[in-house]
């Protein structure tokens, strides 16, 4: 989607290895979010950021960490990947508080942990 | 836990028919949003309705919101094959983040 890029698009990794997913935006939006999508669960929030160096946990944050050192990049790290973290990961951005704006989503990263 | 639950889980219709999807949620909200997801793609924002609004239109989309019943419906009129996708409702639960439902899969046959 325009203004937001996720990398890589696909990744296969081994159990126990660290993995970092990148979300890059060119919209200068304040809010950035990481969700995972699994069959039967819809989208679940992992972590989100409301500014540089300001992050908070979502409902499924265990095993994940994030960093945001500049406005345009939001990194999601799986410290030690497990098979339960096999999923499709989506990054989203929002101009301001969701009271007034919807999200713009990236195209997703399909992660397989073997 | 999911804030929103869509109903039905799956819906199949013919082109030209109307499609109605429902969403129920659990807590108070500031707004409710609907998104579409085509297979293998990210979600696309369709429409936002605020808690003080009862109905909103955008093209062939009509959204209603009943805060007393904590429910919303999305109506797509005169469906097209290109409307085939999954549709999700999302609520803010009066926070600065959205909680998504599990989605309705819509199949529109030519």
């Amino acid at each position: 989607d325009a203004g937001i890029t996720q990398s890589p698009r696909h990744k296969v990794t081994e159990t126990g290895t660290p993995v970092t997913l990148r979300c890059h935006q060119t919209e200068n939006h304040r809010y950035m979010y990481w969700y995972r999508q699994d069959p039967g669960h819809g989208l679940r929030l992992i972590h989100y950021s409301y500014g540089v160096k300001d992050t908070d946990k979502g409902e499924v944050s265990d095993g994940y960490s994030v960093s945001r050192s500049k406005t345009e990049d939001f990194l999601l790290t799986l410290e030690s990947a497990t098979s339960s973290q096999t999923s499709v990961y989506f990054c989203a951005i929002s101009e301001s508080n969701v009271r007034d704006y919807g999200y713009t989503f990236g195209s997703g990263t399909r992660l397989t942990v073997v | 836990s999911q804030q929103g639950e869509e109903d039905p889980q799956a819906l199949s219709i013919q082109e030209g028919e109307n499609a109605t999807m429902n969403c129920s949620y659990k807590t108070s909200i500031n707004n409710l949003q609907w998104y579409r997801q085509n297979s293998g793609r990210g979600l696309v924002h369709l429409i936002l309705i605020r808690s003080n609004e009862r109905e909103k239109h955008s093209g062939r989309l009509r959204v209603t919101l009943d805060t007393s019943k904590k429910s919303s419906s999305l109506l797509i009129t005169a469906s097209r094959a290109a409307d085939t996708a999954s549709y999700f409702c999302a609520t803010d639960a009066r926070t600065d983040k959205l909680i998504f439902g599990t989605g309705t899969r819509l199949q529109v046959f030519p």
Side-chain angles (χ1 to χ4, degrees), chain B residues 34 36 44-49 53 55-64 73-78 80 83 87:
Chain B
W34 285 91
R36 182 187 75 236
V44 174
H45 180 254
L46 294 176
I47 196 164
L48 180 156
I49 185 167
E53 297 175 312
E55 189 171 312
K56 203 162 184 180
H57 297 256
S58 177
R60 293 184 296 112
L61 306 180
R62 173 179 170 252
V63 170
T64 62
S73 67
L74 170 67
L75 169 67
I76 305 174
T77 60
R80 305 166 181 169
D83 294 326
Y87 292 82

Side-chain angles (χ1 to χ4, degrees), chain B residues 10-89:
Chain B
L11 179 62
S12 295
I13 59 174
Q14 296 291 132
E15 262 191 333
E17 295 180 339
N18 295 340
T20 299
M21 289 158 267
N22 302 295
C23 169
S24 60
Y25 58 92
K26 299 174 182 174
T27 64
S28 297
I29 62 172
N30 290 312
N31 71 56
L32 183 144
Q33 304 181 26
W34 285 91
Y35 288 78
R36 182 187 75 236
Q37 184 181 33
N38 292 93
S39 182
R41 307 291 299 273
L43 281 73
V44 174
H45 180 254
L46 294 176
I47 196 164
L48 180 156
I49 185 167
R50 292 187 171 78
S51 59
N52 61 353
E53 297 175 312
R54 291 296 166 257
E55 189 171 312
K56 203 162 184 180
H57 297 256
S58 177
R60 293 184 296 112
L61 306 180
R62 173 179 170 252
V63 170
T64 62
L65 178 64
D66 187 335
T67 54
S68 67
K69 295 181 179 179
K70 291 186 169 61
S71 68
S72 173
S73 67
L74 170 67
L75 169 67
I76 305 174
T77 60
S79 296
R80 305 166 181 169
D83 294 326
T84 293
S86 291
Y87 292 82
F88 295 85
C89 70

Side-chain angles (χ1 to χ4, degrees), chain A:
Chain A
D1 288 315
I4 178 171
T5 306
Q6 291 185 235
S7 59
R9 290 296 312 276
H10 302 272
K11 186 171 182 66
V12 179
T13 192
E14 293 186 348
T15 298
T17 60
V19 177
T20 295
L21 309 183
R22 182 185 186 227
C23 179
H24 178 77
Q25 61 143 329
T26 57
E27 304 295 323
N28 201 36
H29 285 351
R30 177 183 175 190
Y31 289 83
M32 300 185 76
Y33 307 82
W34 277 108
Y35 286 84
R36 59 177 290 174
Q37 185 174 32
D38 305 287
H41 291 280
L43 278 83
R44 292 180 291 174
L45 181 65
I46 305 171
H47 282 281
Y48 67 105
S49 170
Y50 43 94
V52 174
K53 296 193 191 320
D54 291 324
T55 64
D56 205 348
K57 296 178 180 180
E59 64 175 310
V60 290
S61 59
D62 287 348
Y64 301 94
S65 63
V66 289
S67 67
R68 191 169 179 199
S69 59
K70 44 187 178 177
T71 300
E72 57 265 37
D73 289 324
F74 192 32
L75 304 179
L76 176 71
T77 298
L78 289 65
E79 305 291 345
S80 177
T82 68
S83 59
S84 64
Q85 294 176 312
T86 291
S87 185
V88 181
Y89 291 85
F90 286 100
C91 177
I93 60 175
S94 179
E95 181 169 352
S96 182
N97 194 294
V98 293
R99 238 164 282 175
D100 301 314
Y101 296 91
Y103 289 3
T104 300
F105 278 84
S107 299
T109 293
R110 183 173 295 276
L111 177 68
T112 302
V113 183
V114 298

